[in-house]
Amino acid sequence: MLNNPSKTGVGIVSISKSGELALAMASFLPNVKATAWINGNIANVLFPLHYKDIVFPPLPVSAEGIIVKDSGILDIRDALLDCMEEENRASVIPIERASCNFLFIVSEDDRNWNSVYYAEQASKILKAHGKTNYEVVTYPKAGHFLEIPYMPHYPSGIHAAVGQAVAFGGEPKAHAVAQVDTWKRLLEFFKKHL
C-alpha cells in the first residue's frame, strides 16, 4: 500500500538532447509527475518529433553561430536559431500543458547550447500561464554534462550529431561541486514529488 497515493506517477531525469523529449513527455503524458531537466533545450532539435498527429519540426541551425577555437574545437553554443522567434515557435515544446513539477538545472558555462536562455524561456512560459510548479538552479562555472557525482569532467569531446570535437565548457572543480549538488537536489526533488 502506498503511503501517499497523490504522489504516485513517473519521474524523468533528462540531460542535453533528452531534455526536449522529457518536456514533451511531461506535456502530453498524464502520469509524469516530476521532470528534472539538465542543460537541455525547450525546442525540438535535430529531427522531427512526432506525437500522435502533432509534429514538432527541428529548430534550424545556423553555421554563423559556430565558432572555431584556436585548438580546432568547435563552440556550438549559439548554432541554433532563437526558438522564441515567431518563425521557430513550432519547434517549442508546449510545457504550459504539463501538470508536473519541473526542476531546471543549468550550467552557465555550457558551450553545447545556451541552456541558461532555454531555462529562462521555460520559466517565462510557465509563469505566463500562471504556473509556479518549477524551480531553476544555476551553476556559474559548470559545463554541459552534469552527470552523477565523481564522473570525470570533460570540457570537450566528439559530438555525435556534429561528428567533430566540440566544447562542452566548465571548470573542473566548479563542475565537480555542481555534480555533487545536482545529485542531492535530484534526490530531494523526486522524494518530494513522487
Side-chain angles (χ1 to χ4, degrees):
M1 183 168 183
L2 298 170
N3 292 336
N4 187 346
S6 67
K7 290 189 176 182
T8 61
V10 175
I12 302 172
V13 178
S14 65
I15 185 166
S16 192
K17 168 65 179 155
S18 66
E20 73 252 25
L21 301 175
L23 296 181
M25 291 170 64
S27 299
F28 293 104
L29 305 177
N31 290 333
V32 176
K33 302 297 180 194
T35 302
W37 175 100
I38 304 169
N39 293 324
N41 202 319
I42 62 167
N44 181 49
V45 296
L46 298 178
F47 47 83
L49 176 63
H50 298 259
Y51 176 73
K52 295 185 179 179
D53 60 344
I54 302 170
V55 178
F56 295 94
L59 189 60
V61 175
S62 170
E64 294 172 6
I66 299 172
I67 298 169
V68 181
K69 298 179 171 234
D70 291 340
S71 62
I73 294 173
L74 304 179
D75 183 329
I76 60 171
R77 187 191 90 130
D78 297 317
L80 294 170
L81 295 182
D82 187 349
C83 63
M84 301 312 289
E85 292 293 328
E86 189 60 39
E87 63 270 19
N88 301 323
R89 289 297 300 241
S91 298
V92 176
I93 307 301
I95 57 174
E96 66 276 8
R97 293 176 48 113
S99 60
C100 73
N101 291 282
F102 291 105
L103 175 60
F104 296 102
I105 296 176
V106 182
S107 296
E108 291 182 11
D109 193 33
D110 183 352
R111 304 312 303 170
N112 186 73
W113 48 34
N114 195 344
S115 299
V116 172
Y117 177 73
Y118 298 129
E120 288 170 353
Q121 296 311 308
S123 298
K124 285 180 182 178
I125 291 167
L126 292 170
K127 186 175 182 179
H129 286 84
K131 306 237 177 183
T132 59
N133 57 339
Y134 62 94
E135 177 184 3
V136 178
V137 178
T138 60
Y139 300 101
K141 296 178 181 178
H144 184 64
F145 288 112
L146 283 181
E147 298 177 309
I148 59 174
Y150 315 112
M151 292 295 289
H153 169 251
Y154 47 102
S156 63
I158 301 297
H159 193 292
V162 178
Q164 294 184 44
V166 302
F168 294 126
E171 295 178 9
K173 184 175 180 181
H175 190 86
V177 169
Q179 285 185 152
V180 171
D181 189 63
T182 294
W183 186 252
K184 289 183 214 172
R185 288 179 186 270
L186 288 172
L187 295 176
E188 290 168 5
F189 175 71
F190 288 118
K191 185 174 183 182
K192 179 178 178 182
H193 297 294
L194 296 177

